[in-house]
Amino acid sequence: MSDVFVDPAVTTGPIAGSAKVYREIEGMRVPFRRVHLTNGEHLDLYDTSGPYTDAGAVIDLQRGLPPRPGVIRDRGTQLQRARAGEITAEMAFIAAREGVPAESVRDEVARGRAVIPANHNHPEAEPMIIGKAFAVKVNANIGNSAVTSSIGEEVDKMVWATRWGADTIMDLSTGRDIHLTREWLLRNSPVPVGTVPMYQALEKVDGDPTELSWDVYRDTVIEQCEQGVDYMTVHAGVLLRHIPLTVDRVTGIVSRGGSIMAAWCLAHHRESFLYSHFEELCDILAQYDVTFSLGDGLRPGSIADANDAAQFAELRTLGELTKIAKAHGVQVMIEGPGHVPMHKIVENVRLEEELCEEAPFYTLGPLATDIAPAYDHITSAIGAAIIAQAGTAMLCYVTPKEHLGLPNRKDVKDGVIAYKIAAHAADLAKGHPGAQQRDDALSTARFEFRWEDQFNLSLDPDTAREFHDETLPAAPAKTAHFCSMCGPKFCSMRITQDVREAMAAKSREFFEHGSQVYLPVMPS
Amino acid sequence: MSDVFVDPAVTTGPIAGSAKVYREIEGMRVPFRRVHLTNGEHLDLYDTSGPYTDAGAVIDLQRGLPPRPGVIRDRGTQLQRARAGEITAEMAFIAAREGVPAESVRDEVARGRAVIPANHNHPEAEPMIIGKAFAVKVNANIGNSAVTSSIGEEVDKMVWATRWGADTIMDLSTGRDIHLTREWLLRNSPVPVGTVPMYQALEKVDGDPTELSWDVYRDTVIEQCEQGVDYMTVHAGVLLRHIPLTVDRVTGIVSRGGSIMAAWCLAHHRESFLYSHFEELCDILAQYDVTFSLGDGLRPGSIADANDAAQFAELRTLGELTKIAKAHGVQVMIEGPGHVPMHKIVENVRLEEELCEEAPFYTLGPLATDIAPAYDHITSAIGAAIIAQAGTAMLCYVTPKEHLGLPNRKDVKDGVIAYKIAAHAADLAKGHPGAQQRDDALSTARFEFRWEDQFNLSLDPDTAREFHDETLPAAPAKTAHFCSMCGPKFCSMRITQDVREAMAAKSREFFEHGSQVYLPVMPS
């Protein structure tokens, strides 16, 4: 893949208690994680982890994942094909994954309410969809910084993030070897990969924002499109007139891309080249079917700055750009905040839908308070669940390291799990078809003291089992009718089973003697 | 304190970057945690940690904490005194803590919308209030089980939980030495202590629910009132006619107290002695000013069972019991679920307020999904934040060990921090006076690269600092204008400061030359 020696090691093999299965759909193999239960039943779950969790797959990171066959490059974008009434192979694949009719996939894409980020040059990825009519998705940000990490570590994080359920990853590398890191990630990623091309463009001008130009930026975008990046964050909504609106903010501009463009605009006293060259950008992205993720360069970075004039002025501009992109046949999603107190969250979704024609909303959290650095996966999972319930289609995770440092492997997993919780909680609240099956299966296993099934149905079987092992490691404890929380005499579920037996006995008595009603009974 | 040798070790000393300060109010010393900032300012925070975080305090666990002076035992409950128009010493203390007028404390207590759990026999505790007009509170459950833990470990957990912000603790011990464990906790707890007397009563009859009787239960309640328990969970709302409503549930009855009473009712074919003797119970609690926490014995234990007929039938009964308790001058709060999907959460609050005359609602989570054992502090912090925003007054924490085992010291802290986040997020969303000061102070510190201040203003300074140290341990990094997440060239906050300087320069230019407006500028 390159002449720099890189030798990553990643986690492979099935998730505990599960096996990879495929459903054959029109010659395609659509993957699921099948959880085998001890009562002989099984449950099939949406599976983002690619071949890495397939016990039969041979993984060769130096070669990359095998490309899926049948990628069509010359008939335009998924949006254009959906508008033409076509159900693409990607749409059929997605319909099978999501358990919905292929027509609804096509219709949502045609309306611009859903996107399928699938660059023609990234055939290694399994097709997936982002839109509010589908399961809420989770993105995991990875990538090095000038201070820390390596290509090997980033490939490991990518595989690790998708193992635990990341639906897409973004490579936000800003340190060394940006091109090469991305190449390793793209060739080995089973999920779509997003980037912020500005970061690499800035590296090309040695980190001085004022030296950026449309030419450097355009060339970087083309380079990344050729490599196979599936969606790109473009902060084209940061306009000169918005910048003064940030002056009285507590935390100014907290988007890296936003602050870079603001610095450029002020230095050149001109409107951003992303804005002035937006249509050329559309033409480039359309050639590869790269999806726009219109960045919120002026998102609030603190509770104090939420829903302010700067944020909503930019959102209005993103609405204009959405129309332009769609007119060029380019798929679009819209990025959202950030830091927002709970009572101001829903307004973000309503306004985005109104201004941006219901293009999929893709939010970073939001964090519901600023006061818990080291726990921002939790502060933001609260906001994320609420905003997803209101209609956000994809949630960008926040890890415990947010505001403090670059996330490591453990942080990545903690972030992904917290966001799978938020996404699933929203699916339940939206009544997403089939979402509750997993809750019901797990709770039934819990009630029936099928501990192994409870672990294996959970988001993280390893940790659930490990926690149980801490106090009751012996094998018989995995079928015992209690745990160490309440002990044997105080287990409500065991007592409930006694209660049910007592009621069944009463019921038999009633039918056998046919004489008196025993319920309800008034206080004696 | 007893003849059993117990020698607990607990964590003492100030939280990093903070010092205990007291405000003298009518001869009382009201505690605050003062965070000293590097810019010379400070912020005083609500402080639950008692003398343990006072650098000047001498802690002697064998003797217990010094009692606060002036406890009045012969003039009835806080409710009765509030109704008589009195502002008690406890109310004055609470008003200072919460930063509200003492009259509003009295009025909310008189209306039964707030409670002050303060048994006359627990003078070691610092007065606090639970009610929707005040800051949202957090309870931490501790206590041993038959399988694990000791008195020393439980005392340590109690001090640890209050260090991180637990407003009350519940001793849910069901294992050995229940009386003695509680004695150690009461004498050393700076916060109110709640219990479920049924657990000890059941131990007295060797764990057989059918052997329980009013006499055993009453004697246990009196024993605990005498010791100083501040509030008691009583599952008096589980009636015979409710039990069949649980038969088709996925997880039956998941409250220990609820399942015990259901088993008793069915075995004796009679209405629960808690219900039939409820007025006698009121008379006992009134003597000590012990607060009722009317338990939701039929709370849902899974998403599938949320808001069902059994749950709401019991809530209706709790409404009847609330009226009876208040007629006896006893303070009352109402316990709530459990496991509830997000879209069904608010209904719980509205119904509780309607049926129970707005008595403070005290909920366990709720968990917004069942699928994440080992992460239920997160699944439930989502539900907790939402239910608190809707009006819940106190949140009972859930730890990562929920459903898997008895929480240890680490789990206790993880649970408390997750719930402080949920409670604070709700305070922000409710516009609670002063709540946002802490967010603003922390975010300002963040923007100004005052790293130490950012750590010290956070819920957990130790972990925030530790995470920063992982990649940038050197002292200069604590004032550096970047972190390892983005590195020096990509720090948006640093670039924003450049942007602000550029704007200021433009502004000077404008005033100096007085010639042309530079903003807004249209696209070139």
Side-chain angles (χ1 to χ4, degrees):
Chain A
M1 195 182 295
S2 84
D3 52 1
V4 175
F5 182 72
V6 180
D7 189 16
V10 300
T11 302
T12 58
I15 289 174
S18 295
K20 175 84 79 181
V21 297
Y22 298 94
R23 288 193 208 145
E24 296 283 337
I25 309 283
E26 300 179 19
M28 294 177 292
R29 296 172 73 205
V30 181
F32 293 89
R33 169 183 160 202
R34 175 163 293 178
V35 185
H36 290 283
L37 306 181
T38 56
N39 65 1
E41 297 175 5
H42 68 259
L43 189 71
D44 286 348
L45 303 174
Y46 191 106
D47 186 347
T48 59
S49 58
Y52 300 99
T53 53
D54 183 342
V58 178
I59 302 295
D60 181 348
L61 296 164
Q62 303 290 335
R63 291 175 66 96
L65 296 175
R68 75 191 141 83
V71 173
I72 294 170
R73 294 164 193 272
D74 55 0
R75 290 223 303 270
T77 69
Q78 296 285 339
L79 172 58
Q80 291 163 332
R81 294 165 70 187
R83 283 174 179 162
E86 185 184 352
I87 291 173
T88 64
E90 289 79 9
M91 294 174 198
F93 187 101
I94 286 163
R97 271 190 121 164
E98 298 262 351
V100 298
E103 288 74 14
S104 81
V105 173
R106 179 196 60 201
D107 294 349
E108 291 292 307
V109 172
R111 280 182 64 178
R113 299 210 317 172
V115 296
I116 298 174
N119 184 327
H120 304 149
N121 291 342
H122 189 206
E124 295 86 351
E126 294 166 337
M128 55 78 72
I129 194 161
I130 302 164
K132 67 177 169 181
F134 306 96
V136 175
K137 302 303 188 294
V138 172
N139 169 69
N141 287 341
I142 59 171
N144 69 11
S145 78
V147 178
T148 186
S149 198
S150 65
I151 292 176
E153 284 175 82
E154 296 307 318
V155 172
D156 176 43
K157 283 187 209 169
M158 177 273 290
V159 174
W160 191 235
T162 57
R163 180 179 184 85
W164 300 114
D167 293 284
T168 75
I169 61 129
M170 288 193 80
D171 173 16
L172 303 187
S173 291
T174 55
R176 284 183 310 169
D177 302 322
I178 293 183
H179 181 97
L180 186 60
T181 302
R182 193 171 55 238
E183 185 68 17
W184 274 92
L185 291 172
L186 280 163
R187 299 291 75 81
N188 288 294
S189 176
V191 300
V193 174
T195 62
V196 186
M198 182 60 72
Y199 299 167
Q200 188 183 7
L202 188 67
E203 271 306 293
K204 290 180 180 175
V205 294
D206 295 326
D208 181 350
T210 64
E211 291 296 311
L212 283 164
S213 67
W214 164 244
D215 287 351
V216 169
Y217 184 81
R218 179 198 57 215
D219 291 351
T220 306
V221 167
I222 293 170
E223 173 188 335
Q224 297 197 11
C225 285
E226 282 290 329
Q227 265 188 308
V229 169
D230 299 286
Y231 64 92
M232 294 182 185
T233 296
V234 180
H235 297 97
V238 179
L239 301 187
L240 263 172
R241 67 174 179 271
H242 300 153
I243 302 171
L245 301 174
T246 67
V247 172
D248 293 328
R249 280 181 156 187
V250 168
T251 45
I253 301 175
V254 297
S255 151
R256 297 190 287 204
S259 66
I260 292 164
M261 284 321 299
W264 188 93
C265 290
L266 282 183
H268 294 271
H269 199 216
R270 291 175 58 189
E271 209 56 279
S272 144
F273 55 77
L274 299 175
Y275 184 72
S276 54
H277 291 267
F278 191 72
E279 295 197 79
E280 289 171 69
L281 207 48
C282 291
D283 290 335
I284 298 168
L285 267 58
Q287 285 177 49
Y288 302 86
D289 199 359
V290 171
T291 299
F292 270 118
S293 187
L294 294 179
D296 53 339
L298 303 181
R299 68 170 175 269
S302 55
I303 291 296
D305 297 344
N307 294 20
D308 73 353
Q311 184 195 338
F312 287 157
E314 182 188 28
L315 186 56
R316 232 165 276 276
T317 305
L318 298 186
E320 295 166 23
L321 298 173
T322 300
K323 289 184 183 64
I324 296 169
K326 285 164 72 176
H328 285 75
V330 183
Q331 303 188 89
V332 186
M333 53 185 174
I334 306 293
E335 296 186 8
H339 293 238
V340 186
M342 287 196 288
H343 64 300
K344 294 187 176 177
I345 288 177
V346 172
E347 184 184 2
N348 280 274
V349 183
R350 294 292 89 83
L351 203 57
E352 188 273 344
E353 290 180 340
E354 181 192 321
L355 296 172
C356 304
E357 303 182 339
E358 298 181 87
F361 204 24
Y362 168 29
T363 62
L364 178 67
L367 285 71
T369 166
D370 302 343
I371 68 167
Y375 298 85
D376 280 334
H377 59 315
I378 300 178
T379 63
S380 66
I382 292 169
I386 295 169
I387 208 164
Q389 178 185 11
T392 289
M394 183 155 78
L395 302 168
C396 181
Y397 85 171
V398 172
T399 80
K401 281 284 166 57
E402 186 76 15
H403 302 114
L404 299 169
L406 197 75
N408 61 23
R409 178 183 160 95
K410 178 182 187 317
D411 300 317
V412 165
K413 180 174 174 182
D414 284 344
V416 170
I417 298 282
Y419 272 68
K420 294 302 282 187
I421 290 169
H424 186 76
D427 285 342
L428 288 177
K430 290 166 71 179
H432 190 69
Q436 202 183 309
Q437 282 179 19
R438 187 171 181 179
D439 297 75
D440 293 350
L442 190 147
S443 288
T444 302
R446 181 175 283 158
F447 188 68
E448 294 176 355
F449 297 103
R450 289 184 276 116
W451 290 96
E452 291 291 347
D453 293 346
Q454 185 188 157
F455 305 151
N456 294 339
L457 285 161
S458 76
L459 287 176
D460 178 3
D462 299 345
T463 304
R465 184 175 289 101
E466 185 189 305
F467 280 8
H468 192 260
D469 281 351
E470 264 182 41
T471 47
L472 293 169
K478 306 307 178 198
T479 51
H481 284 205
F482 65 94
C483 77
S484 72
M485 186 161 183
C486 305
K489 282 190 287 193
F490 283 86
C491 178
S492 63
M493 295 206 183
R494 185 193 58 70
I495 299 171
T496 298
Q497 295 185 350
D498 297 346
V499 165
R500 288 190 175 177
E501 280 162 29
M503 276 196 291
K506 283 282 175 199
S507 177
R508 279 193 302 276
E509 210 175 284
F510 175 74
F511 284 111
E512 281 161 15
H513 301 287
S515 51
Q516 51 177 150
V517 177
Y518 84 101
L519 288 167
V521 173
M522 297 310 292
S524 57
Chain B
M1 194 182 294
S2 84
D3 51 359
V4 176
F5 181 72
V6 181
D7 190 17
V10 301
T11 303
T12 59
I15 290 174
S18 296
K20 176 82 77 181
V21 297
Y22 298 93
R23 289 194 207 143
E24 296 284 338
I25 309 284
E26 300 181 19
M28 294 176 293
R29 296 171 71 204
V30 181
F32 293 88
R33 170 184 158 200
R34 175 164 292 177
V35 185
H36 291 283
L37 305 181
T38 56
N39 64 1
E41 297 175 5
H42 68 259
L43 190 71
D44 287 347
L45 302 174
Y46 191 105
D47 186 347
T48 60
S49 59
Y52 300 99
T53 53
D54 183 342
V58 177
I59 301 296
D60 181 347
L61 296 164
Q62 302 290 335
R63 290 176 66 96
L65 296 175
R68 76 190 139 85
V71 173
I72 293 171
R73 294 165 193 272
D74 55 359
R75 293 224 302 269
T77 68
Q78 297 284 339
L79 172 59
Q80 291 163 333
R81 294 166 71 187
R83 282 174 180 163
E86 186 183 351
I87 290 174
T88 65
E90 289 79 10
M91 293 173 198
F93 187 101
I94 287 162
R97 270 190 122 165
E98 299 261 352
V100 297
E103 289 73 16
S104 81
V105 173
R106 179 197 59 200
D107 294 349
E108 291 292 306
V109 172
R111 279 181 66 177
R113 298 211 317 173
V115 296
I116 299 173
N119 184 326
H120 304 150
N121 291 341
H122 189 206
E124 295 87 352
E126 294 167 337
M128 55 79 71
I129 196 162
I130 303 165
K132 68 177 169 180
F134 306 96
V136 175
K137 303 303 188 297
V138 171
N139 169 68
N141 288 340
I142 59 170
N144 69 13
S145 77
V147 178
T148 186
S149 197
S150 66
I151 291 175
E153 285 175 82
E154 295 308 316
V155 172
D156 175 44
K157 283 187 209 168
M158 178 273 290
V159 174
W160 191 235
T162 56
R163 182 180 184 85
W164 300 113
D167 293 283
T168 75
I169 61 130
M170 289 192 80
D171 173 16
L172 302 186
S173 292
T174 54
R176 283 183 310 167
D177 303 322
I178 292 182
H179 181 97
L180 186 60
T181 303
R182 192 170 56 238
E183 185 66 18
W184 274 92
L185 292 172
L186 279 164
R187 299 291 75 81
N188 287 294
S189 176
V191 301
V193 174
T195 61
V196 186
M198 182 61 74
Y199 300 166
Q200 188 183 7
L202 188 66
E203 270 306 293
K204 290 182 180 176
V205 295
D206 295 327
D208 181 350
T210 65
E211 291 297 310
L212 284 164
S213 67
W214 165 244
D215 287 351
V216 169
Y217 184 81
R218 180 198 56 215
D219 292 351
T220 307
V221 166
I222 292 171
E223 173 188 335
Q224 298 196 8
C225 286
E226 283 290 329
Q227 266 188 307
V229 168
D230 299 287
Y231 64 90
M232 294 183 184
T233 297
V234 179
H235 297 96
V238 178
L239 301 186
L240 263 172
R241 66 173 180 270
H242 301 153
I243 303 171
L245 301 174
T246 68
V247 173
D248 293 328
R249 281 180 156 188
V250 168
T251 45
I253 301 174
V254 297
S255 150
R256 298 190 288 203
S259 67
I260 291 164
M261 284 322 300
W264 188 92
C265 291
L266 282 182
H268 294 271
H269 199 217
R270 291 174 58 188
E271 209 55 280
S272 144
F273 55 78
L274 299 175
Y275 184 72
S276 54
H277 290 267
F278 190 72
E279 295 198 80
E280 287 171 72
L281 207 47
C282 291
D283 290 335
I284 298 168
L285 267 58
Q287 285 177 48
Y288 302 86
D289 199 1
V290 171
T291 299
F292 270 118
S293 187
L294 295 179
D296 53 338
L298 304 181
R299 68 169 176 269
S302 55
I303 291 297
D305 297 344
N307 294 21
D308 73 352
Q311 184 194 338
F312 287 157
E314 182 189 28
L315 186 56
R316 233 165 275 276
T317 304
L318 298 186
E320 295 166 25
L321 297 173
T322 300
K323 290 183 183 66
I324 295 169
K326 284 165 71 177
H328 285 75
V330 183
Q331 303 188 88
V332 186
M333 54 185 175
I334 306 291
E335 296 186 9
H339 293 238
V340 185
M342 287 194 288
H343 63 300
K344 293 187 177 178
I345 287 177
V346 173
E347 185 184 2
N348 280 273
V349 184
R350 294 291 91 83
L351 203 58
E352 189 272 344
E353 289 181 339
E354 181 191 322
L355 295 173
C356 304
E357 303 182 339
E358 299 181 86
F361 204 24
Y362 168 30
T363 62
L364 177 68
L367 286 71
T369 166
D370 303 341
I371 68 167
Y375 298 85
D376 279 333
H377 60 314
I378 301 177
T379 63
S380 67
I382 292 169
I386 296 169
I387 208 164
Q389 179 184 11
T392 288
M394 184 157 77
L395 302 168
C396 181
Y397 84 172
V398 171
T399 80
K401 282 282 166 57
E402 186 76 15
H403 301 114
L404 298 169
L406 196 75
N408 60 25
R409 180 181 159 93
K410 177 182 187 316
D411 300 317
V412 165
K413 180 175 175 182
D414 285 344
V416 169
I417 299 283
Y419 272 69
K420 294 302 282 188
I421 291 169
H424 186 76
D427 285 341
L428 289 177
K430 290 165 71 178
H432 190 68
Q436 202 183 311
Q437 282 179 20
R438 187 170 181 179
D439 297 75
D440 293 351
L442 190 147
S443 289
T444 302
R446 180 175 284 158
F447 188 68
E448 294 175 357
F449 298 104
R450 290 184 274 115
W451 289 95
E452 291 291 345
D453 293 346
Q454 185 188 159
F455 305 151
N456 294 340
L457 285 161
S458 76
L459 286 177
D460 178 5
D462 300 344
T463 305
R465 184 175 289 102
E466 184 189 306
F467 280 9
H468 193 261
D469 281 351
E470 264 182 42
T471 47
L472 293 169
K478 307 306 178 198
T479 51
H481 284 204
F482 65 95
C483 76
S484 71
M485 187 162 183
C486 306
K489 282 190 286 194
F490 282 87
C491 179
S492 62
M493 295 204 182
R494 186 193 57 71
I495 298 171
T496 297
Q497 296 185 352
D498 296 346
V499 165
R500 287 190 176 178
E501 280 162 29
M503 277 197 291
K506 283 281 175 202
S507 178
R508 280 194 300 275
E509 208 176 285
F510 175 73
F511 283 111
E512 282 161 15
H513 302 288
S515 52
Q516 52 177 152
V517 176
Y518 82 101
L519 288 165
V521 173
M522 295 310 292
S524 57

